[in-house]
Amino acid sequence: MSESVVAAEHDYIGLSEFPTMETATTTMSDKTKTRDNNNDGLNFKATELRLGLPGSESPERVDTRFLSLNKTSCPVSGAKRVFSDAINESNKWVFSPGSTTATGDAGSGSGPGSSVVKDGKSTTFSKPAVPVKEKKNSATAPASKAQVVGWPPIRSFRKNSMASSQSQKPGNNSETEDAEAKSGPEQQPCLYVKVSMEGAPYLRKIDLKTYKSYLELSSALEKMFSCFTIGQFGSHGGCGRDGLNESRLTDLLRGSEYVVTYEDKDSDWMLVGDVPWEMFICSCKKLKIMKSSEAIGLAPRVMEKCRSRN
Amino acid sequence: MALRLPSKVLKHILSFIDSNEDRNSVSLVCKSWFETERKTRKRVFVGNCYAVTPAAVARRFPAMRSLTLKGKPHFADYNLVPDGWGGYACPWIESMAAKSPYLEEIRLKRMVVTDDCLERIAASFKNFKVLVLTSCEGFSTDGIAAIASTCRNLRVLELRECIVEDLGGDWLSYFPETSTSLVSLDFSCLDSEVKISDLERLVSRSPNLKSLKLNPAVTLDGLVSILRRAPQLTELGTGSFAAELKPEAFTKLSKAFSNCKQLQSLSGLWDVLPEYLPALYSVCPGLTSLNLSYATVRMPDLVELLRRCSKLQKLWVMDLIEDKGLEAVASYCKELRELRVFPSEPDLDATNIPVTEQGLVYVSKGCRKLESVLYFCVQFTNAALITIARKRPNLKCFRLCVIEPFAPDYKTNEPLDKGFKAIAEGCKDLRRLSVSGLLSDKAFKYIGKHAKKVRMLSIAFAGDSDLMLHHLLSGCESLKKLEIRDCPFGDTALLENAAKLETMRSLWMSSCFVSFGACKLLSQKMPRLNVEVIDEHPPKTRPESSPVERIYIYRTVAGPRMDTPEFVWTLHKNPEIGVSKLAIK
């Protein structure tokens, strides 16, 4: 597995790559090469250190300027505009600082100052002047729906139950899909599977649809279970703070110690990574991270993989 | 020269007081009342497991028989609290095992419970009777098996919407072979199949069983067989109805239901096919509670069912019921007290949600006893809110979720300020309020001014400025829990109303504009609050002005907690120390 977290370059919000507003238009085009489903910088997003479900996005902060500015003119579209930007862009704080912006510098009370010093580098956060997109008529609207963490406020238990019941019913209410209808998993709002790890005190649930590749999935799992592996060396009952860090975990995971397996539709346990991603998310029912020694009977490839990693 | 009631007399008087709020007031009168009250309190409720230490609770209430604990903040339900945040039940169980061995009932909500924990419960409390776990996680069916096998007097075992590592259905066979004292069993959140024969035998030897909630893995055949053995049930959660419709199956089901003459509450109904609904008709006239929120059935079938439910008090349903269906509910279900309408497609982009504000207006007009509402829809109008407030001033809980953030009144394009003003002003007994849609500071000025009894307030994507938070904190006298996400609030309001926070249970703010510096200042100013910053990056390397992703502030007499994970920082009261992790090692 390649290094999935870019160290030090990412400040806590993950904005250091992003330009100030003035240079936004030019650099945005640079970002297009990472475009995926019209979500700018999706690959960056996937590797950003963030809280919340890995791969999911939180909406942008709504800058007070935008709200008050847009209200006087056209509240509905203005507000929508801001929010659609929230979904369509990667995480960015919207700050006030003295930077003049394309939308003008409204004098209304604005957020706190924004320069951050990290590793001697000073970055000003501001929102690039991305061309405004209305939610519906974007030509590259993704087949999967926009996701905001925790909104609408529905318990994941309910979401899961509905997701699994929808998968059983063909021809259900998926008329809202775009013309390019995708296969099964795309029509579900989310695809939660349980992930358990040997020796971990409890299991987690993740939404497979928020990942686009095995790489994303594995980095998310690494992150999620790092505290368990660390915990094995330290106190139990919570995440350890022994100073063991992620690199220790990645060593553990890359070393032959753990493999990720999954239970498919036929209730067979398979090694994750053998089949193409699309096929995998169609058939995966649960995930389990087990010790390589336990997984030996699973497939001859396990041994192969162990050898190739070492 | 004060007259003193002999403690025996006081004790007798207090034995009639059940409400903990009243008991809390009693305990403030004077020392002797405090002493008598604490020695007689049997049911203890701790709304925030970090507000007080388990040892202190055990010490104060030696007669405790029932303990209810809540852990994670409410927004954890919507994935806003990262895994590993906390809320561990173990320290409580350990403490109670040592100090309150006569504990009989434990109810936990949003806590992390391990198998060890469950085994400890089973081993430590000889007369254990009631275990209710709501939205908990961290345990497997092995832990459940331990409870089932060891707690000989178990009456209630309910797993409500928990995340359980399901190792198979064996746990069911661990109940004692002789008759059990089970009154209520809820395993609806488990995934795997249980052996029907095990379930049948269990039901047959549980003569007191009144409430049974099956998991989706139980088939229709299984359900029929269970109902035959337990016609005395008052609450039933069915398994999955997703089976091919066969005429004999339908008849059997119908007959089984018609034998359940005492059934009052019905839930489950996963994947129910409309053709099966008539099998339920016989129980409809007696139903007071019906949960159809997992039933993807269309309006006409729903109406056909609901028009027979004249005694219905609680209805949970999906938006497939449409406005027309709600109009029917308004005319047939005159006893309705609680209505929840969930979206069938919980997506941000969904625009074809079949209910509109009109549906709720119908119910508000027709159901005089309506007092609790949870309603999801795409957009709303001020006029509708005003009508609802006028018609139903007796509302106690009003949670409106306009799915589209910042959606204004779609007829007038104005914010929904006037509408929520009407709600706050008109519904004088309102205790819980969730607002949504486009709202300006005015709305919150009204809420602060009128909503004097609101205890819990949830806000998302709203307001213009700090003023909103200020209105709420300075106005809402009874406010106990405030949760806010994605609103442009900053430091001023928070710091100005710092004292208010000690009168509240907790405040959650995420994706707002609260700066790290303000958090520090707050924690220094208010030593009896835990100011927890949830953030992936160490606050020490950030300047004071940088905004904080999530904060959770709660009053506590237990001091900063010792079990915070890497990404939670309890700001230290001592400004020199700054940020303390209180690492164990």
Side-chain angles (χ1 to χ4, degrees), chain A residues 12 49-51 61 71 76 80 93 112 149-151 154-155 158 162 165 173 194 201-204 241, chain B residues 78 83 138 161 164-165 191 271 293 344-345 403-404 413 464 485 511-513 536-537 547 549 564:
Chain A
Y12 87 108
L49 294 174
R50 254 187 293 125
L51 290 176
R61 298 288 189 74
K71 252 202 215 144
V76 179
K80 256 192 181 174
W93 298 128
V149 176
W151 191 263
I154 298 176
R155 289 193 184 172
R158 181 169 293 277
M162 285 163 53
S165 71
N173 43 2
K194 292 184 185 172
Y202 50 95
L203 55 80
R204 306 268 172 96
R241 293 182 293 272
Chain B
Y78 315 129
D83 278 345
E161 297 192 351
V164 184
E165 183 174 6
D191 281 337
D271 310 318
S293 63
S344 47
E345 281 219 41
I403 295 186
E404 168 139 350
N413 251 1
D464 292 329
R485 64 165 294 177
S511 304
C512 297
F513 285 152
E536 280 171 312
H537 295 72
E549 175 59 61
T564 48

Side-chain angles (χ1 to χ4, degrees), chain B residues 335-544:
Chain B
E335 298 292 315
L336 199 67
R337 282 145 170 77
E338 177 179 330
L339 173 70
R340 293 196 190 188
V341 177
F342 296 95
S344 47
E345 281 219 41
D347 276 322
L348 225 43
D349 285 344
T351 47
N352 59 345
I353 292 195
V355 293
T356 71
E357 79 281 4
Q358 191 53 44
L360 188 54
V361 169
Y362 286 139
V363 178
S364 304
K365 284 184 176 165
C367 301
R368 303 235 163 126
K369 301 189 181 173
L370 188 70
E371 54 183 34
S372 173
V373 170
L374 170 62
Y375 201 75
F376 283 83
C377 65
V378 175
Q379 51 198 10
F380 228 77
T381 63
N382 280 316
L385 283 169
I386 292 170
T387 308
I388 292 168
R390 200 178 63 236
K391 289 290 177 182
R392 292 278 64 79
N394 50 327
L395 279 175
K396 293 212 169 79
C397 167
F398 187 73
R399 296 161 72 189
L400 176 66
C401 180
V402 176
I403 295 186
E404 168 139 350
F406 313 120
D409 178 327
Y410 70 93
K411 291 193 176 145
T412 63
N413 251 1
E414 291 172 345
L416 291 177
D417 296 345
K418 286 196 205 138
F420 278 106
K421 174 185 185 213
I423 295 279
E425 233 180 338
C427 305
K428 301 216 184 301
D429 286 329
L430 200 62
R431 288 167 66 103
R432 184 167 177 184
L433 177 63
S434 301
V435 300
S436 52
L438 185 67
L439 294 164
S440 77
D441 284 341
K442 271 209 215 129
F444 299 97
K445 185 165 153 210
Y446 300 139
I447 292 175
K449 190 167 172 209
H450 297 288
K452 292 304 181 190
K453 292 211 177 149
V454 163
R455 299 166 56 106
M456 182 168 175
L457 191 47
S458 311
I459 305 175
F461 307 112
D464 292 329
S465 71
D466 245 4
L467 215 46
M468 166 176 150
L469 184 56
H470 175 71
H471 287 313
L472 293 176
L473 289 178
S474 57
C476 298
E477 286 164 7
S478 310
L479 197 58
K480 290 275 171 281
K481 290 194 281 186
L482 178 57
E483 44 186 26
I484 302 174
R485 64 165 294 177
D486 294 278
C487 296
F489 303 148
D491 308 334
T492 326
L494 201 59
L495 291 170
E496 265 188 35
N497 293 284
K500 171 79 175 174
L501 297 178
E502 252 190 36
T503 69
M504 293 167 51
R505 185 187 297 170
S506 65
L507 167 64
W508 167 278
M509 289 176 69
S510 55
S511 304
C512 297
F513 285 152
V514 180
S515 75
F516 177 56
C519 291
K520 271 168 64 173
L521 209 56
L522 187 65
S523 85
Q524 283 152 27
K525 221 170 142 180
M526 311 291 305
R528 284 184 300 199
L529 296 179
N530 273 356
V531 178
E532 289 186 10
V533 166
I534 301 173
D535 207 302
E536 280 171 312
H537 295 72
K540 265 193 170 134
T541 64
R542 297 214 310 268
E544 306 275 299

Side-chain angles (χ1 to χ4, degrees), chain A residues 163-190:
Chain A
S164 56
S165 71
Q166 274 181 3
S167 66
Q168 287 175 22
K169 287 179 132 212
N172 59 6
N173 43 2
S174 37
E175 287 83 25
T176 49
E177 287 301 325
D178 290 341
E180 31 173 345
K182 297 274 176 76
S183 58
E186 294 287 340
Q187 289 177 353
Q188 292 173 15
C190 48

Side-chain angles (χ1 to χ4, degrees), chain B residues 195-210:
Chain B
K195 273 204 237 139
I196 281 299
S197 51
D198 282 346
L199 193 54
E200 286 168 355
R201 276 204 305 272
L202 177 65
V203 167
S204 301
R205 64 184 195 274
S206 304
N208 298 329
L209 194 65
K210 290 283 185 213

Side-chain angles (χ1 to χ4, degrees), chain A residues 185-230:
Chain A
E186 294 287 340
Q187 289 177 353
Q188 292 173 15
C190 48
L191 189 62
Y192 283 92
V193 297
K194 292 184 185 172
V195 186
S196 60
M197 176 166 172
E198 280 198 35
Y202 50 95
L203 55 80
R204 306 268 172 96
K205 265 193 170 170
I206 57 171
D207 179 359
L208 280 185
K209 288 200 66 198
T210 57
Y211 310 108
K212 301 282 181 298
S213 68
Y214 283 120
L215 188 62
E216 288 180 34
L217 176 64
S218 69
S219 66
L221 290 177
E222 269 176 64
K223 191 139 203 312
M224 214 182 285
F225 287 94
S226 57
C227 64
F228 292 139
T229 317
I230 291 171

